[in-house]
Amino acid sequence: MLNMTEKAGEQFKAAIAGGALDAARLRIFIDHRCHCGKAHFALAAEDDVNPDDTVFDVSGVPFVADAGTVPELPAVEIDFVETAWTRGFAIRNKNHNCNHHMMQ
């Protein structure tokens, strides 16, 4: 499935344990495709799972993805980054290097 750094996993687990993330799962989905056709991904809190969705866990963090996103998941890497300017989850397509998308 997707790849997630240890730091991202720890941050998700802390958010779940602390009640900041009260949804049943995180939905990973294709937000848009770049001019070259590569997928860019996003996350959303999700309580509803559709019949054609794939439900899975990565390092104890619950995820769900639709049928169109599942084939792309091996290219997904989720990290948690902290800089002087931002703090949040970075979702990257390892097969495309145009930029990182931050979710805060």
Side-chain angles (χ1 to χ4, degrees), residues 16 19 25-26 32 34 41 45 53-54 59 64 86-87 101:
I16 292 167
R25 299 197 165 270
L26 292 169
H32 67 279
C34 199
F41 301 92
D53 285 340
T54 298
S59 300
V64 63
T86 191
R87 179 177 192 262
H101 285 245

Side-chain angles (χ1 to χ4, degrees), residues 29-94:
F29 60 96
I30 297 172
D31 181 51
H32 67 279
R33 290 198 179 267
C34 199
H35 66 287
C36 68
K38 297 291 184 184
H40 289 256
F41 301 92
L43 289 172
E46 182 67 71
D47 286 321
D48 297 323
V49 176
N50 300 316
D52 64 332
D53 285 340
T54 298
V55 174
F56 60 99
D57 287 5
V58 176
S59 300
V61 178
F63 287 91
V64 63
D66 62 54
T69 302
V70 171
E72 305 265 2
L73 290 179
V76 174
E77 180 181 74
I78 300 174
D79 194 6
F80 188 85
V81 295
E82 295 180 82
T83 70
W85 306 108
T86 191
R87 179 177 192 262
F89 294 98
I91 307 164
R92 181 173 85 90
N93 182 335
K94 297 184 301 183

